[in-house]
Amino acid sequence: MAELPEPPRLRSDSSSTTTSQSTSGRQQLRQRLSQLLTCMEDLSSDDEVNEEVSRTLDEAFQLCGSRWSGREFFRCCQRPTTLRLHMVTWNVATAEPPADISSLLQLDSQTSTDLYIIGLQEVRATPIKYISDLIMDDSWSYLLMSTLAPKGYVKVTSVRMQGLLLLFFAQQAHLPFIRDIETTYTRTGFFGYWGNKGGVSVRFSLYGHMLCFLNCHLMAHMGYTLQRVDEFEYILDMQSFDLVNTPQILDHNVVFWFGDLNFRIADHGLHFLRSCINSGRFHLLWERDQLTMMKKKEPLLQEFEEGPLHFRPTYKFNPFSDTYDTSPESAWIGFTGKKRKPAWTDRILWRVKPKAATDEDEKLSSASSLDEHEESSIKVTQDVYTCNMEYGVSDHKPVMGIFTVEMNKKFETPLVNVAADGQWSADEDAVLSYTILETFPSSTSDWIGLYKIGFKSPQDFAAFAWVKDNEVPKIGEVVKIYMNKDKIPLLSGEYVLGYVGYNTQSIVGLSLPFQIMESKQAVLEGLLSEDLNGLNKAY
C-alpha cells in the first residue's frame, strides 16, 4: 500500500496547552490514523467505507484542534487514477497484415495496458476491397480484434475513410465509463473531394474527461511543408461534434494528433543523413526536421508536445528489410523517380488543454468550486516513443507511443446496473434485471446483450433481449426481463450481460461474470466445443 502523504502542519490556537495534553493528543491521533490505514486497505467506491474514513479523520483532527474536516483532508489525500495508453501509427502501404502483431502491442509487458489506439494509413482501399470491408471487418481490424479480445480488450469503436483507419480498444472493465463517443472524418486529397489524404477522429469522455484522437495522412513530398500545416488547420476547422462544451477538436481536455504527417528532413544530403542514422547521431538531424522547424513558427503547433526522436527515421525502407530505399532512379511519362531520403514521417503528438482555456470554459458553463477544478485536472506523461523495426510488410516502420494518463475520476458508478438472476442454462428461460442509476438519454430501443468472456465488440453478442418498451423505469427501480431459452448457448461458459444504449451506441452497464451451465440437450447430443470450431456456443 502506498504511503499516505504527510498531514499538514497543525497549529494550536491555545498557548496554555500542556506537554502532557499534547502527548496524549498525539497518541490518540496516532490511534485514529492507524484506524484510517486499516480503512484505506479496503478502500473502494463503497460509500460506507468512505464514510468510515471521513468519520475517523474528523475525530483525529478534532483531537488536534484542526479546522479541516476529515472529508476535506481525505479529498486532498486522494491519489489520481493512472491509466496506461498504448498508441500505434503505421502507414501499411496497402499490405496485408503480418501473422503476429504481439510485439507491436507489447502484450507480454509486465504493465497492463488500459486503452489501445491504433491509427493506420494506406489500408488497401480498391473499390471492391473497400465495399467488402464495409460488409465485413477488414483484415487489419480482424487481426487486431482477434489478438486483443482474448486478453480482455473490446473494440469500442472505429472509423474509416478509404485508406485511413482508426480503432479504439479498451479493457472490458472501463467500458461503462467511456461515454459521448463520436467519430468523424475530413477529406483533403484532390481539393477535398478524395479521401486518400485527410483525417479521421474518435472522441469520447473517459471517466468524465474529454479526449480526442486524430489520425492524419497529410500531403507528401519535400516541398509541401506549409501545405501540410494548412491541411492540419483545415481538418481542425472542419471537424465538429455534438456536445456543446466540446464542439471542436481543440475543445477537448486532451488531443492526440498522430499519423503519417509526411514531414521530411530538409537540406541535408542523402550521404549525411545515412551517416548520422548509422552512427545513432539523430540529434544532428532534429534541427532540419520540418515539423520541428514549423513548431518554432506556428503558435498552434507549439501547443502540441512531442517526445524526443531517439529512434531511426521510419521512412522509406526496402520491403522486408532494415535498409533504406535503394530503388534505382527511373523515368515515367516525364516524371523522374528518385530515392526517398529517410524521414520521420510517422509521428505522435499530444496537447493538454491550456489551463486558461479550461478556466474560461468553467466560467461559461457554471460557477465551479476549487474541488471541481481539481477533479477536472488531467496529466499526460509519455513513457515510450519509438519505432518497431521488426515489421517489414510496408516501406514505413510502425511508431509506438505509450502514455500514462493521470486523472481524478469524475464518477465511478455506471449509468445502469445489470445482473443475471438465478442459474442460467438453455433448459429454461433466464431472468435478468437492470436498474437505471443515473439519468441518461435512454431509449426503448436499448437492449441487453449476452457476451461470452473474450468478446470483440459490442456487436459480438451471443444473444440479446430488448429492454421494456412500455415505460421508462424510474431511477433506482429494479426491472426484470426474460431471455428465451432458445437464445441461450447450449454449452457451458463464462458470460457477462451488457446494457447497450441506442442513443449512446455504447455499453453503459456490465454485469459481473457468471456461468451458463451446460444444457441437458448438449449432454444428450454429446456436443463438444471442438465440434463448434472452438466457439463453444450452439443454439
Side-chain angles (χ1 to χ4, degrees):
M1 184 181 68
E3 292 183 3
L4 287 173
E6 291 185 7
R9 192 183 302 273
L10 301 177
R11 181 180 60 126
S12 173
D13 292 331
S14 173
S15 59
S16 62
T17 304
T18 64
T19 303
S20 61
Q21 287 174 324
S22 177
T23 302
S24 174
R26 282 197 297 269
Q27 289 174 343
Q28 293 181 52
L29 175 60
R30 220 176 276 120
Q31 293 173 353
R32 290 304 186 189
L33 289 179
S34 177
Q35 294 175 13
L36 169 64
L37 291 174
T38 302
C39 293
M40 291 292 286
E41 289 178 355
D42 298 322
L43 185 59
S44 65
S45 58
D46 191 327
D47 290 337
E48 292 183 5
V49 175
N50 290 337
E51 286 297 328
E52 177 60 22
V53 173
S54 296
R55 283 195 299 270
T56 302
L57 281 166
D58 282 335
E59 293 177 22
F61 282 104
Q62 285 170 11
L63 289 169
C64 295
S66 171
R67 290 175 296 175
W68 282 22
S69 73
R71 189 176 303 279
E72 289 169 335
F73 182 75
F74 173 66
R75 187 162 52 240
C76 292
C77 288
Q78 278 185 306
R79 296 184 183 275
T81 295
T82 57
L83 300 177
R84 182 179 170 91
L85 166 64
H86 187 118
M87 294 182 62
V88 174
T89 177
W90 193 3
N91 183 321
V92 299
T94 73
E96 287 299 301
D100 185 5
I101 54 173
S102 298
S103 173
L104 185 63
L105 303 175
Q106 294 196 348
L107 294 177
D108 58 350
S109 172
Q110 296 295 319
T111 306
S112 176
T113 296
D114 296 280
L115 310 174
Y116 280 97
I117 299 288
I118 316 293
L120 305 178
Q121 306 85 41
E122 291 195 28
V123 176
R124 191 180 178 200
T126 60
I128 294 177
K129 175 69 172 171
Y130 187 64
I131 292 172
S132 67
D133 288 346
L134 293 176
I135 300 172
M136 298 180 294
D137 290 313
D138 63 275
S139 55
W140 285 93
S141 296
Y142 180 81
L143 175 63
L144 285 161
M145 287 192 291
S146 299
T147 303
L148 288 171
K151 302 293 185 179
Y153 297 96
V154 178
K155 189 188 83 170
V156 180
T157 190
S158 64
V159 55
R160 182 169 179 184
M161 181 186 73
Q162 285 183 221
L164 271 171
L165 176 62
L166 177 57
L167 301 108
F168 169 34
F169 295 84
Q171 277 187 357
Q172 180 180 304
H174 296 306
L175 294 181
F177 310 103
I178 299 170
R179 304 172 188 174
D180 305 315
I181 304 167
E182 285 187 70
T183 62
T184 189
Y185 59 86
T186 302
R187 301 183 180 95
T188 59
F190 195 68
F191 304 102
Y193 290 102
W194 190 243
N196 65 318
K197 296 290 192 295
V200 293
S201 64
V202 56
R203 58 73 63 86
F204 54 89
S205 69
L206 177 65
Y207 293 99
H209 299 269
M210 298 305 301
L211 279 68
C212 184
F213 294 83
L214 173 62
N215 172 25
C216 288
H217 192 184
L218 303 180
M219 186 178 291
H221 303 304
M222 181 71 72
Y224 293 101
T225 307
L226 292 175
Q227 287 85 345
R228 285 189 273 276
V229 177
D230 289 342
E231 284 185 337
F232 175 52
E233 292 180 349
Y234 174 76
I235 292 169
L236 292 180
D237 289 339
M238 292 300 295
Q239 294 198 358
S240 60
F241 305 98
D242 290 340
L243 283 186
V244 175
N245 62 338
T246 52
Q248 293 187 300
I249 290 176
L250 296 183
D251 295 320
H252 293 73
N253 297 120
V254 182
V255 176
F256 288 89
W257 171 39
F258 60 109
D260 181 359
L261 307 185
N262 256 321
F263 289 100
R264 309 304 171 97
I265 300 173
D267 301 333
H268 294 309
L270 185 58
H271 177 76
F272 180 76
L273 280 171
R274 290 185 171 175
S275 174
C276 292
I277 293 168
N278 292 335
S279 62
R281 295 179 296 166
F282 304 131
H283 63 281
L284 297 180
L285 307 177
W286 292 346
E287 285 298 315
R288 306 312 298 167
D289 169 70
Q290 291 178 337
L291 180 54
T292 302
M293 294 164 64
M294 292 307 296
K295 285 189 72 174
K296 295 178 180 179
K297 301 177 181 179
E298 297 288 336
L300 173 61
L301 298 183
Q302 292 169 12
E303 296 182 12
F304 285 83
E305 298 182 59
E306 184 181 19
L309 300 169
H310 288 312
F311 53 90
R312 297 179 69 185
T314 54
Y315 175 81
K316 175 183 182 182
F317 289 88
N318 291 336
F320 298 99
S321 79
D322 295 344
T323 303
Y324 287 101
D325 185 20
T326 58
S327 59
E329 296 186 9
S330 59
W332 182 75
I333 315 181
F335 294 93
T336 301
K338 297 182 179 180
K339 292 185 180 68
R340 300 296 182 197
K341 292 181 181 180
W344 287 290
T345 57
D346 311 282
R347 312 287 277 268
I348 301 175
L349 298 91
W350 73 97
R351 172 189 183 267
V352 177
K353 192 174 184 181
K355 184 177 182 299
T358 303
D359 290 345
E360 185 63 27
D361 286 347
E362 289 178 349
K363 290 177 184 177
L364 291 174
S365 61
S366 63
S368 298
S369 67
L370 177 62
D371 293 336
E372 289 173 337
H373 177 73
E374 287 175 350
E375 288 177 0
S376 67
S377 63
I378 186 168
K379 180 181 178 182
V380 176
T381 305
Q382 188 174 59
D383 304 313
V384 175
Y385 191 31
T386 189
C387 68
N388 191 314
M389 296 295 294
E390 70 180 78
Y391 295 99
V393 298
S394 167
D395 53 3
H396 291 249
K397 299 297 182 182
V399 169
M400 301 184 301
I402 300 177
F403 298 85
T404 296
V405 181
E406 198 171 330
M407 64 175 70
N408 290 335
K409 295 179 181 178
K410 294 186 178 182
F411 49 79
E412 295 185 83
T413 304
L415 296 173
V416 181
N417 182 62
V418 193
D421 296 352
Q423 191 175 81
W424 280 47
S425 79
D427 295 325
E428 58 184 16
D429 294 345
V431 181
L432 61 92
S433 61
Y434 67 92
T435 307
I436 306 295
L437 302 178
E438 187 179 329
T439 301
F440 75 101
S442 59
S443 165
T444 54
S445 297
D446 294 350
W447 49 279
I448 296 175
L450 175 65
Y451 296 96
K452 195 175 193 309
I453 294 295
F455 66 100
K456 297 177 180 178
S457 73
Q459 289 71 44
D460 184 25
F461 53 86
F464 77 95
W466 296 107
V467 302
K468 284 196 171 181
D469 59 0
N470 57 344
E471 59 180 344
V472 177
K474 299 177 182 177
I475 293 179
E477 178 185 353
V478 178
V479 180
K480 292 186 180 293
I481 56 177
Y482 291 87
M483 185 170 288
N484 191 288
K485 64 181 180 181
D486 295 334
K487 296 182 178 181
I488 299 174
L490 297 175
L491 297 175
S492 63
E494 193 173 22
Y495 289 80
V496 293
L497 294 167
Y499 187 108
V500 182
Y502 176 81
N503 292 320
T504 62
Q505 291 297 299
S506 62
I507 294 176
V508 297
L510 276 174
S511 73
L512 294 173
F514 64 97
Q515 193 75 17
I516 289 183
M517 308 304 294
E518 191 169 273
S519 66
K520 295 176 181 177
Q521 181 181 343
V523 175
L524 290 174
E525 296 183 8
L527 294 177
L528 299 173
S529 59
E530 51 265 32
D531 296 332
L532 303 165
N533 298 319
L535 295 179
N536 201 26
K537 61 181 181 181
Y539 303 94

